[in-house]
Amino acid sequence: MKKIVHPIILLLILTTFSCKSQSNSENKMTEFQKETLEKENYDRYILVRGRNLKDVEPKIIEWAEIFGAGESVNMTIQKSELGDWTILKLPKNEILTAYNYHNFVYWFLGTPPEDQNYADFSIGISIDKNGQSTYLIYNDYDLRSEIATDDDVFGIFKSNQKFILSIPFDEMKPTENKNILDFNKFLSNENIDISKIQTDRLEWKNIEIKI
């Protein structure tokens, strides 16, 4: 005798599968939270480029004067070149909280046209020493005008979880926007060889900041 599945039971089964699928998708999307960005086991870098970027040191000093909040700042930032990028290796310093670091990345974009020394492109790469939650943030003027506010940057974890980060409000929200590339694809498109950074195969020059 052929068994007939009651419509209500069938609906419950389909709803259960749908909820599980949605839950798995949400879990995948929120593998990392905003607290992940605040961990202390990152080596943090900033990569900048642009025809109007004449010198990174004045931008560093401007940032340190503001985010030092009136306190003295004494730190050494290392500078090198990676292809057509200027790369900065940041020290462990109390001024370099996650919030201040993200603002630092954004600071290099300046305020053109008033600002005559600014980057067209700024990327922050945070390499997790445990290899689990490495991520990057970057600006994209075209994408930002479509889906975000003026003070947002876009982020990608190495696991390809993507997010939008509000710089002034320090808020992170996951996104599945297809215009945000996967982690390795993004680096490849920008000619960034992260292995040279991870294995420290760059020649560094020190920039002493004392305020």
Side-chain angles (χ1 to χ4, degrees):
M1 182 175 179
K2 198 171 183 180
K3 291 185 178 180
I4 300 176
V5 179
H6 195 281
I8 294 179
I9 296 175
L10 180 59
L11 180 61
L12 288 172
I13 292 172
L14 291 174
T15 302
T16 300
F17 276 115
S18 175
C19 288
K20 283 184 177 179
S21 175
Q22 183 177 355
S23 176
N24 289 338
S25 175
E26 289 175 353
N27 288 339
K28 183 179 179 183
M29 225 180 123
T30 56
E31 178 184 356
F32 300 114
Q33 307 293 333
K34 179 181 168 293
E35 290 73 21
T36 307
L37 310 181
E38 299 167 355
K39 295 194 305 184
E40 296 183 358
N41 60 324
Y42 285 115
D43 288 327
R44 298 195 187 267
Y45 302 84
I46 299 176
L47 292 86
V48 289
R49 71 180 182 199
R51 56 188 177 85
N52 293 302
L53 184 62
K54 302 174 181 66
D55 188 358
V56 296
E57 190 166 343
K59 304 301 289 183
I60 296 172
I61 293 172
E62 289 172 3
W63 172 85
E65 287 176 341
I66 291 176
F67 285 87
E71 300 292 328
S72 62
V73 178
N74 189 349
M75 64 179 176
T76 301
I77 292 176
Q78 294 181 294
K79 172 187 169 184
S80 188
E81 304 297 324
L82 182 63
D84 59 351
W85 294 93
T86 295
I87 180 171
L88 303 175
K89 182 178 182 179
L90 306 183
K92 300 295 181 185
N93 190 287
E94 60 185 11
I95 193 177
L96 284 164
T97 62
Y99 174 75
N100 285 355
Y101 164 66
H102 297 144
N103 273 273
F104 201 180
V105 176
Y106 193 74
W107 189 263
F108 280 95
L109 299 174
T111 55
E114 295 84 4
D115 194 345
Q116 300 297 310
N117 180 34
Y118 64 91
D120 297 317
F121 208 174
S122 182
I123 300 172
I125 298 181
S126 295
I127 298 177
D128 182 1
K129 294 177 183 177
N130 296 327
Q132 296 175 345
S133 58
T134 294
Y135 72 95
L136 64 84
I137 60 171
Y138 69 100
N139 72 297
D140 184 323
Y141 291 117
D142 293 334
L143 186 57
R144 194 171 70 184
S145 65
E146 289 179 20
I147 66 171
T149 68
D150 287 341
D151 296 316
D152 287 348
V153 293
F154 304 96
I156 318 166
F157 283 97
K158 193 174 181 181
S159 64
N160 294 324
Q161 178 185 325
K162 295 154 189 176
F163 60 93
I164 298 173
L165 182 67
S166 167
I167 293 299
F169 297 108
D170 196 25
E171 295 174 347
M172 167 189 170
K173 62 179 180 180
T175 179
E176 290 185 328
N177 189 287
K178 297 189 186 323
N179 292 315
I180 301 176
L181 300 177
D182 287 348
F183 187 87
N184 289 332
K185 178 65 174 173
F186 177 89
L187 293 178
S188 176
N189 277 13
E190 301 303 331
N191 296 315
I192 297 171
D193 185 351
I194 196 171
S195 68
K196 288 185 177 180
I197 304 173
Q198 291 172 313
T199 57
D200 204 17
R201 288 185 282 140
L202 299 172
E203 295 183 5
W204 301 99
K205 294 181 180 178
N206 289 342
I207 300 177
E208 303 289 342
I209 304 298
K210 294 183 180 181
I211 298 174

